Amino acid sequence: MPVPLDTTGKASFDDIYDRPDPRDYYARMSELDYRIPELAKPFFEQQIREYRASARVATPTVLDIGCSYGVNAALLRFDTGIDELTEHYRTAAEVDRAQLVARDRDRLAGCEHHSDVRFVGVDVSGPALDYAHAAGFLHDIVHADLESADPTDEQCEVLAAADIVLSTGCIGYVTEKTLLRIATAHPRRRPWMAHFVLRMFDFDPMAEELAALGYRTEQASGLFAQRRFASADEQQRVLNTLSDKGIDTTGREADGWLYAQLYLSRPGPKGQA
């Protein structure tokens, strides 16, 4: 069955975000060797360490934009890799959702890392958020499309608690509109940010908007494989986009993988926590 493409030219996986639990999500992503959350994990851990040391906050709050089923939180809190997490759900094919939730909560209670960090998720998918919250991966959730509307007062209160904002695949679908609504949720304090951004998307407009709020943005060295292309059509569309931007894809996207860059944004002294 052909993989549908969205307006950006990337494969659309909307159908796996409306499931009541993440089993189909992990099965589909495994077929494409999805790996960016695992590659991002040590960088996110570093951000947590540095924020705690800099701001002297004992229990920082990490907010994940486009968190889906709480993938980044699960990797960090289970201290595991994406393949192990995929296998964890593959072996639960016969249980119902309630049993799967209980299974995840039991595992979390028995081996949790980062128990001194609060995890919050933002997503447009209600079912994915509900599972991540029920399973205990996320301490709080915001079900909202921050591209199209301001957060409610209740949602703003949750967003305002964020110390570190991260993402591993939503930039390009969300823009500076979402980032600014999150960055300004607290009237006096700005969160740190760490975003893995596919090379087909331009982060500069977002960095410029953040700079107006007092942020300094740096691009980390290196490129990070996200996943294999879902189809030849997707690859060609992405290659065309990158070619138009003058980006050399030799040995990278030309060889069948999507690649991302890491952008780190931190507020200046007036916006520090």
Side-chain angles (χ1 to χ4, degrees):
M1 180 177 179
V3 179
L5 302 182
D6 60 28
T7 56
T8 71
K10 285 180 70 266
S12 173
F13 300 105
D14 289 350
D15 61 310
I16 59 174
Y17 293 108
D18 63 358
R19 310 296 170 86
D21 65 64
R23 284 175 284 198
D24 289 340
Y25 169 87
Y26 282 105
R28 180 80 66 85
M29 292 296 99
S30 178
E31 293 172 356
L32 300 175
D33 291 323
Y34 182 58
R35 63 179 58 179
I36 193 68
E38 182 170 345
L39 296 179
K41 178 183 167 186
F43 293 93
F44 293 157
E45 290 178 321
Q46 180 180 0
Q47 294 299 300
I48 292 170
R49 288 193 302 270
E50 292 182 1
Y51 185 89
R52 183 178 278 120
S54 173
R56 297 185 176 90
V57 174
T59 306
T61 295
V62 173
L63 187 150
D64 186 1
I65 309 175
C67 64
S68 69
Y69 293 94
V71 179
N72 287 316
L75 288 174
L76 288 162
R77 298 181 71 187
F78 284 152
D79 192 26
T80 191
I82 195 73
D83 289 341
E84 291 81 3
L85 203 53
T86 298
E87 181 65 11
H88 169 72
Y89 288 107
R90 188 193 66 79
T91 59
E94 303 303 320
V95 305
D96 62 22
R97 182 184 185 276
Q99 292 171 315
L100 191 63
V101 166
R103 190 174 185 253
D104 280 342
R105 293 189 75 92
D106 287 345
R107 180 178 178 181
L108 194 59
C111 69
E112 181 177 0
H113 296 254
H114 297 293
S115 59
D116 53 355
V117 178
R118 289 188 70 253
F119 290 90
V120 177
V122 178
D123 207 284
V124 297
S125 170
L129 279 174
D130 289 343
Y131 186 88
H133 195 213
F137 301 147
L138 300 175
H139 297 91
D140 211 341
I141 56 176
V142 174
H143 181 206
D145 179 359
L146 298 179
E147 283 294 291
S148 60
D150 289 329
T152 65
D153 290 345
E154 182 180 2
Q155 291 170 340
C156 198
E157 184 176 350
V158 176
L159 298 174
D163 296 307
I164 303 168
V165 177
L166 56 86
S167 69
T168 51
C170 71
I171 301 298
Y173 303 104
V174 307
T175 68
E176 60 272 13
K177 294 177 183 178
T178 291
L179 297 191
L180 293 183
R181 282 172 168 140
I182 291 173
T184 59
H186 194 289
R188 297 176 302 278
R189 185 172 62 84
R190 306 286 185 241
W192 291 13
M193 295 194 179
H195 300 292
F196 284 82
V197 183
L198 289 175
R199 296 209 296 167
M200 64 186 292
F201 299 124
D202 186 3
F203 193 72
D204 286 348
M206 292 170 240
E208 290 173 5
E209 293 288 348
L210 290 173
L213 295 178
Y215 278 88
R216 304 180 306 274
T217 296
E218 297 181 357
Q219 180 183 328
S221 60
L223 295 175
F224 306 88
Q226 189 202 53
R227 62 165 171 83
R228 295 185 183 278
F229 285 106
S231 67
D233 192 17
E234 180 190 32
Q235 182 178 14
Q236 190 57 58
R237 289 279 296 275
V238 172
L239 289 176
N240 291 343
T241 297
L242 292 170
S243 177
D244 290 343
K245 293 177 178 292
I247 296 174
D248 183 9
T249 61
T250 305
R252 303 293 184 178
E253 291 85 357
D255 285 358
W257 286 79
L258 285 157
Y259 278 85
Q261 298 165 312
L262 171 60
Y263 293 88
L264 302 171
S265 301
R266 294 185 181 181
K270 292 183 179 180
Q272 289 283 14

